[in-house]
Amino acid sequence: MLHRDLMWAANGLGIASLLAALIFAFARAL
Amino acid sequence: MKYSIGLAARWLFLAFLVSLVPLGIALIGPLPAPRPFWTEFGVGLGFVGMGLMILQFVASGRFAWVAPRFGADVVLQFHSRTGVIGVILVLAHPVILLLSDTEYLEYFDPRVNFLRALALSFVTVALIAILVTSQWREGVGLNYEWWRLIHGGLSLAIVFVGMVHGIQVSHYLDTLAQKGVWAAVALGAMYLVVHTRVVRPLTAKNRPYRIVDMQEERGNAWSMWLEPDGHPGMDYRAGQYVWFTVGDPPYKLQQHPFSVSAGEDPSRLRLTAAELGDFTSTWKDIEPGTRAYLQGPFGAFTLEPDAPGAVFIVGGIGVTPAMSMLHSLRQQSDSRPAYLFYGNPAWEEVTFREELAELKRELDLTVVHVLEEPPDDWDQVDGNGEEGFIDQELLDKYLPPNRKELNYYICGPTPLMDVAEESLRNLGVSWKRIYTERFEIV
């Protein structure tokens, strides 16, 4: 498994978490 | 363990689910009245940040049910990156809240609530400290033992304060059931760290080893032979590593990961280390007969039998797991071709030089020594001697036409690993066939 692919996966998880917080905020505020 | 897209996707999804657990707990109870978007976004960041923190406790703990799937090395790289992201999200939580409403400043006001202000100020500093000490451990002058202790302590403190903070704010954790689940999840994650750092070393105490021999190797390295003392020993696979502690008690600071460097034999194992850190430089002073404790084995950097051959691309002391696998191939009388690309500064510093020459006689093994400063008579010294560094051109020159079917094992300093990974990718080797062990990560 390559370091670069792994960093993509980790960054992807971070972005997904950020999106989850955004969706949560939109759903709650609207 | 064989890699596949499906396996990677499943584990990534599982990690995502873990990071959503705190947000899930917040949403299972009665929902409070809505607030402005930025306030809710700030709060959401706190919850997912907490989820990522909890994920780190699962990812970092060398657990048998996570690490063997991908290798502890892969898990640690993942931990390192997602940990940074988690810290940033948690730090963004108060920043966004303060931007949405300056009244939130009272959380940091000791006149309003002294303990709360102290705890939240402390955790803010702790988050920055854990980030700085992890990304620039050597830059801030921390040795590995102290860093590991501080890292464990700070991470426990951060999750503990996060747990108490969530309960105290109580906005989304209104019911007793929610508070209970929230506390159970946080305490459960914290226990994983305690288990790794305290409980497991204590169980290792029941299985001591005796150091029976110390051998000096080329390249400023030492090999240590160990035998189990009063138990059958450890069932490890060639290429795996153990956590090693010398002397009593087994949970003291000096715990280090070391690769096994000989073949598979539970009753007698060999660890080899170069004089790199504070700890390895004291190896040569260890007397035979000294007690040692091993935890493990760990790692998925092991031979996969599904390929028609194996290629090892190593640098310096990174040769140790490759030596172990080559010895294992010899034990099994494996006749498949093996290739070893081995980078070193100079010929006199090539660790296991003589042992490799012996292995070459018994295996279908091609050894390509790559030296930064080769001796004058380099062509006569070894048939496949190269000058410089391991790169794509060199790999292309020696790898056979069926290169895409072989399994690749890379271990060495970070620049070598980056070049080797990139080169193999350019040569068309699938990521599923590339196994790595980045020992510089710890």
Side-chain angles (χ1 to χ4, degrees):
Chain A
M1 183 167 248
L2 303 178
H3 181 71
R4 191 166 64 179
D5 297 340
L6 198 57
M7 290 305 107
W8 271 105
N11 291 340
L13 179 70
I15 292 166
S17 300
L18 189 65
L19 280 176
L22 269 172
I23 292 166
F24 167 82
F26 271 119
R28 290 295 297 136
L30 296 179
Chain B
M1 187 71 200
K2 272 189 68 63
Y3 295 142
S4 73
I5 295 276
L7 182 78
R10 268 200 304 282
W11 279 91
L12 198 57
F13 184 66
L14 201 66
F16 183 51
L17 285 185
V18 171
S19 72
L20 289 184
V21 164
L23 203 57
I25 298 172
L27 291 172
I28 51 172
L31 291 174
R35 294 173 294 184
F37 170 79
W38 288 105
T39 305
E40 296 291 359
F41 181 49
V43 170
L45 285 175
F47 280 114
V48 293
M50 182 76 168
L52 284 172
M53 292 290 114
I54 284 167
L55 177 68
Q56 304 316 314
F57 286 40
V58 183
S60 63
R62 326 201 288 267
F63 294 104
W65 35 272
V66 182
R69 301 286 185 274
F70 290 97
D73 156 72
V74 164
V75 174
L76 275 182
Q77 290 178 56
F78 188 73
H79 160 56
S80 171
R81 174 56 65 95
T82 53
V84 171
I85 296 169
V87 166
I88 291 170
L89 293 189
V90 174
L91 285 172
H93 162 63
V95 173
I96 300 285
L97 281 176
L98 284 172
L99 289 176
S100 80
D101 190 343
T102 47
E103 271 194 25
Y104 285 107
L105 207 55
E106 73 164 42
Y107 277 85
F108 289 96
D109 189 341
R111 291 164 302 184
V112 179
N113 184 331
F114 179 76
L115 260 182
R116 180 175 74 182
L118 186 72
L120 294 183
S121 305
F122 164 77
V123 91
T124 308
V125 175
L127 284 161
I128 294 165
I130 208 165
L131 197 64
V132 171
T133 54
S134 299
Q135 297 300 303
W136 301 280
R137 172 171 75 79
E138 282 171 5
V140 295
L142 269 178
N143 70 22
Y144 178 68
E145 290 92 354
W146 279 106
W147 171 79
R148 191 162 172 263
L149 193 72
I150 291 169
H151 196 75
L154 288 178
S155 60
L156 284 175
I158 289 165
V159 168
F160 182 76
V161 171
M163 176 189 83
V164 175
H165 175 61
I167 290 171
Q168 200 181 29
V169 173
S170 188
H171 186 76
Y172 274 105
L173 302 173
D174 195 36
T175 68
L176 191 64
Q178 280 174 298
K179 288 188 177 77
V181 176
W182 172 263
V185 167
L187 292 172
M190 290 166 72
Y191 173 75
L192 295 180
V193 175
V194 175
H195 183 84
T196 305
R197 303 288 183 91
V198 182
V199 178
R200 211 150 44 185
L202 282 175
T203 48
K205 196 173 165 59
N206 299 326
R207 296 167 74 84
Y209 286 76
R210 193 179 304 282
I211 297 162
V212 290
D213 196 15
M214 297 289 299
Q215 278 169 359
E216 188 168 7
E217 309 282 2
R218 289 181 182 278
N220 226 358
W222 285 81
S223 283
M224 175 187 288
W225 287 92
L226 299 123
E227 286 179 3
D229 193 355
H231 59 94
M234 186 184 285
D235 214 5
Y236 62 91
R237 291 184 64 196
Q240 287 192 302
Y241 66 90
V242 295
W243 282 72
F244 171 82
T245 317
V246 67
D248 285 296
Y251 46 82
K252 69 180 184 183
L253 277 177
Q254 290 93 331
Q255 283 194 356
H256 287 258
F258 287 113
S259 288
V260 174
S261 59
E264 288 160 356
D265 180 2
S267 67
R268 191 172 156 84
L269 53 89
R270 181 177 70 172
L271 306 179
T272 304
E275 284 186 33
L276 296 171
D278 306 340
F279 177 65
T280 41
S281 63
T282 63
W283 265 37
K284 54 180 176 290
D285 305 321
I286 296 172
E287 296 285 328
T290 306
R291 275 201 163 190
Y293 299 91
L294 305 180
Q295 291 178 61
F298 298 105
F301 195 62
T302 51
L303 285 168
E304 291 298 330
D306 63 330
V311 182
F312 304 93
I313 304 171
V314 302
I317 198 64
V319 75
T320 46
M323 285 307 291
S324 178
M325 287 191 254
L326 289 172
H327 277 293
S328 167
L329 289 175
R330 186 179 61 172
Q331 282 175 332
Q332 295 160 17
S333 307
D334 198 313
S335 59
R336 286 175 293 182
Y339 300 81
L340 175 73
F341 296 88
Y342 187 10
N344 273 291
W347 185 234
E348 289 311 308
E349 293 169 41
V350 178
T351 313
F352 296 127
R353 190 175 102 185
E354 288 79 7
E355 212 171 297
L356 279 169
E358 269 175 48
L359 282 166
K360 251 169 83 171
R361 285 196 285 276
E362 294 182 53
L363 288 169
D364 180 2
L365 173 64
T366 306
V367 179
V368 183
H369 284 290
V370 185
L371 301 180
E372 285 171 50
E373 292 168 24
D376 295 336
D377 58 345
W378 186 213
D379 286 346
Q380 283 79 49
V381 173
D382 198 274
N384 295 324
E386 292 281 347
E387 183 177 351
F389 296 93
I390 298 171
D391 58 18
Q392 188 175 328
E393 196 185 332
L394 192 143
L395 293 170
D396 195 24
K397 177 177 165 186
Y398 286 96
L399 288 174
N402 69 340
R403 55 187 63 174
K404 289 183 187 174
E405 297 160 29
L406 307 177
N407 279 338
Y408 293 79
Y409 302 89
I410 314 174
C411 184
T414 303
L416 176 142
M417 302 209 52
D418 290 343
V419 169
E421 287 186 0
E422 193 66 34
S423 303
L424 291 179
R425 178 182 274 254
N426 293 340
L427 292 171
V429 177
S430 163
W431 65 276
K432 295 173 199 167
R433 297 219 167 266
I434 299 172
Y435 298 84
T436 60
E437 190 77 86
R438 287 180 181 253
F439 59 80
E440 282 187 351
I441 201 160
V442 289

